[in-house]
Amino acid sequence: MSETTKLKLPKPELFEGEVDFPEMIKKDFRKAVLIISLTALSTIVLIGALWALAFFL
Amino acid sequence: MLDEILVIRESIPIFYYNRDPDRAMSNDWYILQSGFFVALSSFANEMSDDKLKYVVLENKLYALDEVSDILVIFGDKEKMTQEVVSKLQGEITKAANYLSYLLDKHDLDTFVPSPSQLKEIANDFGDYLKQENLVEDDSPFDPHESRSMMQKFIFKSIGYTPGQCNIGRAERLKRLLIGMMGFVVAIIAAFLIVLFNGNPWLMLTLAVPLGMGFFGLYQYLFKFCVVNGLTKKYDMH
């Protein structure tokens, strides 16, 4: 195959952008909610433990 | 979106070609579409350096290289390697020539084409591809299910996976740093409370720095930015 007929794939440079597929948006949303929930839960548990420690000791 | 693309690429029109069930008159009815993927204009700009023209049809992307007169097809089922393209060389060249012929026929190299011209080319090219059996997946287009090859290609290349990873290394480290700062502030504040006051209720004020700490840490661990996830964005830097 000659030099000119080599397959050229487009080089992606779009490292940031917007997502416009509904199911992708849904998946991202679920993950975001999961992280927020985990954060809230972890914070509550740790604060509870710290409070108990300070209260009883 | 089409206007934007055409403005950026000026003399090189971009066609996003697909079948739209809402507008389809019959199974043979094809239309040209644009604007399905947000990043097309930048991609088109990138490709314009190599004088590429491309057409996306159903699950395939047909890219016409003017220099080599080759129509590159990105397919879902078969990886488009040089070998595969070589095997398809005859058909590809024919399809490329046919598309070139259509573009020349409608004189689309020098000005912004009208919607009727685009529709006409889409119909002609669609007929040709079907006649030559170059279209494997001819199922009706569903914008909710269908993926443009271009968008998939971009996402896969940069590592964005919906629901799993929407930030790159630099962004992750930023969040880890913010998280660690939160924990450090919380630890210092806890020591100060114990040292000077001892009131257990004051411990509740640590919720803010601790929350910040966990928020940053989880985002780092999950490779996922919550704000991006909620605002439909990704940043893979």
Side-chain angles (χ1 to χ4, degrees):
Chain A
M1 188 167 278
S2 68
E3 188 66 32
T4 51
T5 53
K6 274 187 179 164
L7 175 64
K8 278 185 253 169
L9 293 176
K11 210 171 118 195
E13 285 191 351
L14 300 156
F15 289 111
E16 54 181 303
E18 287 185 23
V19 185
D20 59 351
F21 296 111
E23 56 275 46
M24 286 185 178
I25 293 168
K26 211 181 281 176
K27 278 183 187 170
D28 280 354
F29 180 78
R30 279 191 203 135
K31 187 74 166 209
V33 170
L34 175 78
I35 292 176
I36 291 170
S37 310
L38 271 175
T39 301
L41 196 70
S42 307
T43 308
I44 289 166
V45 168
L46 198 63
I47 285 290
L50 282 173
W51 179 85
L53 211 66
F55 189 80
F56 292 111
L57 293 181
Chain B
M1 192 69 190
L2 184 60
D3 289 341
E4 187 192 334
I5 293 161
L6 289 169
V7 166
I8 289 171
R9 284 177 60 88
E10 292 176 351
S11 63
I12 304 171
I14 295 298
F15 307 132
Y16 174 64
Y17 180 72
N18 221 320
R19 204 166 76 184
D20 186 342
D22 294 333
R23 292 173 62 181
M25 308 290 281
S26 71
N27 284 341
D28 299 324
W29 185 264
Y30 285 85
I31 61 154
L32 281 171
Q33 292 179 323
S34 63
F36 187 63
F37 26 79
V38 287
L40 181 60
S41 55
S42 311
F43 219 92
N45 204 28
E46 171 84 5
M47 290 176 85
S48 67
D49 293 338
D50 291 325
K51 291 187 176 175
L52 276 169
K53 288 179 181 177
Y54 54 85
V55 178
V56 177
L57 172 66
E58 299 293 352
N59 295 325
K60 285 187 174 50
L61 165 72
Y62 297 83
L64 174 63
D65 186 342
E66 286 180 318
V67 180
S68 60
D69 202 29
I70 192 171
L71 190 76
V72 182
I73 303 173
F74 298 89
D76 232 348
K77 291 172 188 169
E78 202 169 3
K79 200 180 171 189
M80 282 294 135
T81 59
Q82 187 68 53
E83 203 180 327
V84 176
V85 174
S86 299
K87 259 195 260 174
L88 291 168
Q89 191 69 48
E91 286 173 346
I92 287 167
T93 309
K94 263 165 64 185
N97 288 336
Y98 192 79
L99 189 58
S100 293
Y101 159 74
L102 288 175
L103 295 172
D104 287 343
K105 187 179 157 189
H106 293 275
D107 197 20
L108 290 186
D109 282 337
T110 50
F111 67 100
V112 178
S114 68
S116 61
Q117 280 178 314
L118 294 180
K119 195 190 278 183
E120 211 171 320
I121 289 182
N123 282 324
D124 287 352
F125 193 54
D127 286 345
Y128 171 81
L129 293 172
K130 285 180 84 173
Q131 275 168 20
E132 299 293 319
N133 287 325
L134 286 173
V135 188
E136 283 172 29
D137 184 1
D138 202 24
S139 55
F141 172 63
D142 181 350
H144 299 297
E145 293 295 327
S146 178
R147 289 281 178 282
S148 83
M149 287 307 295
M150 187 71 85
Q151 189 81 65
K152 267 170 79 179
F153 181 72
I154 294 167
F155 285 164
K156 202 175 170 188
S157 305
I158 60 173
Y160 165 67
T161 318
Q164 283 182 38
C165 177
N166 70 358
I167 45 172
R169 191 179 152 77
E171 294 296 313
R172 283 180 71 203
L173 288 175
K174 245 189 244 175
R175 279 150 187 83
L176 180 67
L177 196 70
I178 293 168
M180 289 303 113
M181 274 169 59
F183 283 127
V184 169
V185 169
I187 290 167
I188 293 170
F191 268 114
L192 290 175
I193 288 167
V194 172
L195 216 64
F196 293 106
N197 193 303
N199 186 350
W201 294 105
L202 273 179
M203 287 293 182
L204 296 181
T205 57
L206 298 182
V208 176
L210 274 180
M212 201 172 92
F214 279 119
F215 198 55
L217 184 67
Y218 284 135
Q219 288 185 94
Y220 170 77
L221 292 176
F222 285 109
K223 302 176 187 172
F224 195 91
C225 172
V226 170
V227 176
N228 281 352
L230 294 175
T231 54
K232 308 168 193 175
K233 286 177 184 159
Y234 64 88
D235 185 353
M236 303 308 293
H237 283 108

